[in-house]
Amino acid sequence: MSSGPYDFWLLDLDGTLIDVEQQYIYDVMNTVGRRFGIAFSEWEAEMLWYGPSQPRTTIMNRHGIDPGPFWDIFHEVEQPERRAAASHLYPDTEQFVQSIDRPVGVVTHCQEFLTNPVLERLDISDWFDTVVCCSDETGWKPDPTPLELAMEQLGVEDTNARGALVGDDPSDVGAAWNAGLTG
């Protein structure tokens, strides 16, 4: 593949390059729900896992859950080894990433304590020149700060390099636009 008009590429991880088994999502969200004394439907579990901000907010509001405690409990419940074991590459991921002949990085909402074991288990750590995990310190997409950090690590932040972010969520596209990239 030609890298087209782009001098570098940033890629989202979950939902773009990889995914997890549905049962893992249900198991995690059922455990989170139990800690709040509620039961999430399968649809709610999927929306909380994958969904854009508005459906997540609506579900949390419906159940009287504040986002901060929700995400704290979510991250307590997730186990790196289980997450890694439940993860898989999308069918054409390897071909796509290996065809990029420019610097390539990952910018993901997946936390570092989960991301690293997943990348290692899938044996794809060496595919990327940098990996940035969003956090309270780095910011959360659509904030451009995590993308700017990845660009700095790729050495393209002070150039006129043209870049793109490939993702599966409106926050990915917003982050790209906010960083001056194609989304």
Side-chain angles (χ1 to χ4, degrees):
M1 167 185 141
S2 164
S3 293
Y6 303 111
D7 300 309
F8 67 94
W9 289 76
L10 299 176
L11 309 170
D12 177 48
L13 187 61
D14 289 310
T16 302
L17 302 176
I18 70 168
D19 210 337
V20 297
E21 297 169 7
Q22 290 297 112
Q23 190 58 51
Y24 177 79
I25 294 169
Y26 302 145
D27 291 346
V28 168
M29 290 303 175
N30 284 335
T31 302
V32 171
R34 280 194 302 275
R35 295 220 184 152
F36 285 103
I38 59 172
F40 295 120
S41 69
E42 288 184 357
W43 180 85
E44 288 175 322
E46 291 175 23
M47 285 297 101
L48 289 166
W49 187 274
Y50 293 114
S53 297
Q54 190 54 48
R56 283 183 178 146
T57 301
T58 300
I59 292 165
M60 288 184 202
N61 287 343
R62 181 181 318 133
H63 291 290
I65 300 171
D66 290 325
F70 174 86
W71 292 113
D72 289 343
I73 290 173
F74 177 83
H75 289 126
E76 287 175 18
V77 168
E78 277 221 278
Q79 299 298 312
E81 299 79 23
R82 286 190 60 226
R83 171 74 173 264
S87 297
H88 59 86
L89 290 170
Y90 283 120
D92 294 326
T93 298
E94 182 173 10
Q95 179 183 356
F96 171 72
V97 175
Q98 297 300 322
S99 71
I100 298 172
D101 61 355
R102 303 279 193 252
V104 62
V106 166
V107 180
T108 179
H109 277 181
C110 187
Q111 297 300 280
E112 188 173 352
F113 80 99
L114 298 167
T115 299
N116 291 335
V118 167
L119 295 177
E120 289 171 19
R121 181 145 193 324
L122 295 174
D123 196 25
I124 62 173
S125 298
D126 62 342
W127 290 6
F128 310 106
D129 300 305
T130 190
V131 175
V132 173
C133 297
C134 295
S135 68
D136 290 339
E137 293 78 34
T138 63
W140 300 90
K141 297 178 281 183
D143 180 343
T145 307
L147 279 67
E148 292 164 349
L149 177 60
M151 292 164 57
E152 179 182 317
Q153 293 173 0
L154 292 174
V156 297
E157 81 284 9
D158 291 329
T159 69
N160 289 323
R162 290 182 31 99
L165 171 70
V166 178
D168 67 315
D169 188 87
S171 68
D172 295 317
V173 175
W177 292 350
N178 291 336
L181 307 177
T182 299

